[in-house]
Amino acid sequence: MSSKSGGAKKKLGDGRKIIADNRKARFNYSISDVFEAGVELKGTEVKSLRVGQGSLNEAYAQATKQGEIMLVNAYIPVYLQAHQFNHETRRPRKLLLHRREIDKLSQAVLRQGMTLVPLKMYFNDKGRVKVEIGLAQGKKLADKRETEKQRSWERDKARVMRERG
């Protein structure tokens, strides 16, 4: 899975090396559009990602009032060989997108109630860190209360019928 130099977790055929994959995102949301965005990283964050550490499990993206898209709560651990306080592990990171894409994403969030969900973090073929952002709608989960009520009623009905007859 990983190369000799440590590297990212998985290498795809198109030159991408996946660092983090958010599997829950496709389960919890229906994804309509996917955008590729660069990530503004500082200090030892790149070294930490090169080793293959990082997670998008609790991450989300949001549009700010300044007209930017931020990746919030993405976990990039501190690089062990560097100073421990070089970067915060869960700080908000600016996503690098074209103005037209930012406008499209922020309008979809405001008008249609869509959600910006990070799907994958990877190194592209040029060695730059990219994030796939999905424009998503939350899936409607089944309401279990109705089925539980129905099951309980069937059980009670069967019990009453046994007691009568």
Side-chain angles (χ1 to χ4, degrees):
M1 290 263 283
S2 63
S3 62
K4 288 182 181 178
S5 63
K9 293 180 182 176
K10 200 187 245 185
K11 191 169 187 179
L12 299 177
D14 57 355
R16 297 188 305 175
K17 297 175 193 164
I18 295 179
I19 302 163
D21 193 6
N22 190 356
R23 293 182 190 168
K24 276 190 173 181
R26 295 198 188 271
F27 180 76
N28 293 334
Y29 298 96
S30 57
I31 311 295
S32 59
D33 283 335
V34 176
F35 294 89
E36 181 183 64
V39 183
E40 186 178 77
L41 299 172
K42 294 180 181 177
T44 58
E45 292 175 339
V46 178
K47 289 181 181 181
S48 185
L49 290 174
R50 290 237 184 262
V51 176
Q53 300 173 341
S55 173
L56 293 175
N57 290 341
E58 300 170 8
Y60 60 94
Q62 70 180 19
T64 63
K65 293 179 182 177
Q66 292 83 18
E68 298 174 338
I69 306 289
M70 302 293 282
L71 181 65
V72 181
N73 214 16
Y75 179 72
I76 300 176
V78 175
Y79 186 63
L80 294 177
Q81 285 80 5
H83 193 271
Q84 290 293 313
F85 302 109
N86 276 347
H87 71 270
E88 296 176 35
T89 56
R90 293 191 182 273
R91 75 171 179 86
R93 293 166 178 90
K94 182 179 175 183
L95 294 180
L96 308 172
L97 292 159
H98 293 286
R99 172 60 47 199
R100 182 178 275 165
E101 292 173 332
I102 292 172
D103 292 341
K104 182 177 180 179
L105 289 172
S106 58
Q107 291 303 319
V109 168
L110 288 175
R111 291 189 181 149
Q112 300 169 2
M114 305 284 268
T115 307
L116 300 177
V117 181
L119 303 173
K120 287 182 186 171
M121 184 183 292
Y122 58 89
F123 285 105
N124 67 358
D125 55 345
K126 295 179 182 175
R128 297 192 176 111
V129 177
K130 300 287 183 174
V131 174
E132 278 186 3
I133 299 292
L135 193 57
Q137 191 85 25
K139 288 184 181 175
K140 297 196 186 232
L141 300 175
D143 189 8
K144 294 182 181 179
R145 292 178 293 188
E146 287 300 319
T147 56
E148 287 175 9
K149 283 180 189 176
Q150 185 67 27
R151 205 176 304 140
S152 173
W153 165 244
E154 293 293 328
R155 214 174 322 149
D156 291 343
K157 187 170 80 172
R159 185 175 38 91
V160 168
M161 295 300 281
R162 273 190 310 243
E163 289 174 358
R164 282 189 174 176

